[in-house]
Amino acid sequence: MAELSGAVVVFACSHRAGGNSDAAAELVARGVREAGGQVRVVALRDYAVLACLACRACAKDRDSACVLREKDQAEELFAILLSAPAVVFVSPIYFYALPSLCKTWIDRSQRFWEARRKGDAWLLELPERQAFACLVAGQASGQKLFEGARLTLRYFLVNFGISLAEPVGLRGLDERGDLLADPLAVDRALALGREAWAAAQGRPA
Ligand SMILES: Cc1cc2nc3c(=O)[nH]c(=O)nc-3n(C[C@H](O)[C@H](O)[C@H](O)COP(=O)(O)O)c2cc1C
């Protein structure tokens, strides 16, 4: 396993560069820095990730690897996830769910789910860590607007020994610039950065 590095990792999950979730990701990063921490923002759209083939090769035996591992950059992203002391997912909501780029990467983590099922010690012995999420949606209402994304993130991350805090859901943000024009949303994103840095150091915010 890679060593835990000092920097909080912020995964920016939007397909749109320079939109609301990129703005939120930068604010989260600013919150980390203002709290004295280090942070790295990773935009998923900069990585090529192929869809899981559901071939079940990773389920065969303890040493079986993903057949796609040499063909794309999914493993680079897993290495970043595995070495971060705390992570923040900043994502728009697409059709009540995570965007397909993000979900495609998450599906590729099936090999970790299989490894956990098989009781692989290296996975079971990962340090317990904390994840945070900032979810951005265009709609102003919708009781279950963030529920699909929350559940997917929760059950993805649990395979890495990472527990997901209750996500920050930001509503009514659709056009580029909407988030930066909303002082409450800006404050909540900054506060999430401070919280993530505190968690990275193993203390409450
Ligand atoms: C394909 C697609 C699907 C979307 N689905 C929803 C939705 O189900 N609910 C919602 O509130 N907003 C939805 N939106 C709006 C985005 O969540 C909103 O515009 C958000 O601010 C985009 O974040 P970004 O600027 O980081 O890309 C959707 C946008 C796109 C492009």
Side-chain angles (χ1 to χ4, degrees):
M1 193 198 103
E3 289 297 305
L4 291 185
S5 76
V8 168
V9 172
V10 178
F11 289 104
C13 304
S14 183
H15 297 195
R16 170 163 75 167
N20 292 312
S21 24
D22 276 9
E26 283 309 318
L27 287 164
V28 170
R30 202 174 102 198
V32 173
R33 286 190 208 101
E34 284 177 359
Q38 295 130 35
V39 63
R40 175 181 178 190
V41 178
V42 174
L44 293 187
R45 62 180 175 271
D46 292 342
Y47 291 76
V49 177
L50 296 168
C52 171
L53 299 172
C55 66
R56 306 298 308 272
C58 62
K60 277 189 194 125
D61 56 57
R62 266 170 196 274
D63 302 319
S64 45
C66 176
V67 297
L68 298 174
R69 68 175 297 135
E70 307 289 338
K71 299 191 168 155
D72 70 4
Q73 295 174 291
E75 290 296 328
E76 279 180 48
L77 289 169
F78 290 129
I80 294 168
L81 178 66
L82 284 163
S83 65
V87 291
V88 186
F89 283 78
V90 183
S91 180
I93 295 295
Y94 287 178
F95 287 94
Y96 274 70
L98 293 169
S100 53
L101 278 180
C102 183
K103 182 57 163 51
T104 298
W105 178 48
I106 288 174
D107 287 350
R108 290 289 299 286
S109 73
Q110 182 68 1
R111 79 171 184 85
F112 294 95
W113 185 89
E114 290 289 356
R116 185 166 280 268
R117 187 175 62 84
K118 286 180 267 181
D120 280 9
W122 73 269
L123 195 58
L124 297 174
E125 287 162 13
L126 286 175
E128 285 180 21
R129 289 172 294 152
Q130 185 81 54
F132 302 86
C134 179
L135 303 173
V136 180
Q139 289 171 228
S141 61
Q143 211 185 348
K144 298 195 173 170
L145 191 50
F146 303 111
E147 199 55 8
R150 183 184 74 80
L151 288 171
T152 301
L153 285 172
R154 176 179 171 180
Y155 290 108
F156 161 55
L157 292 165
V158 81
N159 292 314
F160 299 87
I162 302 175
S163 52
L164 179 69
E166 187 59 36
V168 169
L170 303 176
R171 296 166 180 269
L173 308 173
D174 213 8
E175 302 302 328
R176 257 186 239 273
D178 279 357
L179 189 141
L180 290 175
D182 180 338
L184 187 59
V186 168
D187 281 351
R188 292 183 76 193
L190 286 168
L192 197 62
R194 292 194 292 273
E195 208 181 329
W197 177 241
Q201 295 176 299
R203 58 177 174 78

